[in-house]
Amino acid sequence: MTDTAKTTLWVIIILVLVGVIWWFVGSNPDQQNPLNQPAVVQEVEIPVATTTEPVVVEDASTSISVQDKTDATLEMDLSKVDEQLKALKADSAN
């Protein structure tokens, strides 16, 4: 036998052995499949710590209204933003 024939024979033997072992493990009826078992759910109560933060009162000239969506309120908010941008530009120019 040539070396190629011997190598091919050993490869075939190894593949057959792996296939037989795979078939035997897959068809073993005594082994339980963990995928078919229902999952056990354990409920654990986690303590929740609550903290109270003081409410910061903002200056009315710089605060933006979140609740009122009228055009007048939006225009006023945009003018406040423009004023703040102008102040930042003036500060950065110095």
Side-chain angles (χ1 to χ4, degrees):
M1 277 178 115
T2 64
D3 288 338
T4 307
K6 288 179 184 178
T7 305
T8 305
L9 183 63
W10 279 111
V11 169
I12 292 172
I13 291 171
I14 290 171
L15 287 176
V16 168
L17 285 174
V18 168
V20 168
I21 292 171
W22 190 349
W23 173 78
F24 179 72
V25 169
S27 66
N28 190 354
D30 296 334
Q31 183 183 12
Q32 291 184 352
N33 190 355
L35 296 177
N36 293 336
Q37 295 176 352
V40 177
V41 178
Q42 182 179 6
E43 293 185 19
V44 177
E45 186 173 332
I46 301 173
V48 178
T50 58
T51 59
T52 57
E53 296 180 12
V55 177
V56 178
V57 178
E58 295 183 5
D59 185 13
S61 65
T62 60
S63 66
I64 294 177
S65 174
V66 178
Q67 296 174 351
D68 193 6
K69 302 282 188 222
T70 61
D71 287 340
T73 307
L74 292 175
E75 288 294 328
M76 188 171 53
D77 290 343
L78 286 175
S79 67
K80 289 178 186 178
V81 171
D82 287 340
E83 291 171 8
Q84 291 173 358
L85 288 174
K86 288 177 186 175
L88 285 173
K89 189 183 287 186
D91 288 344
S92 64
N94 292 336

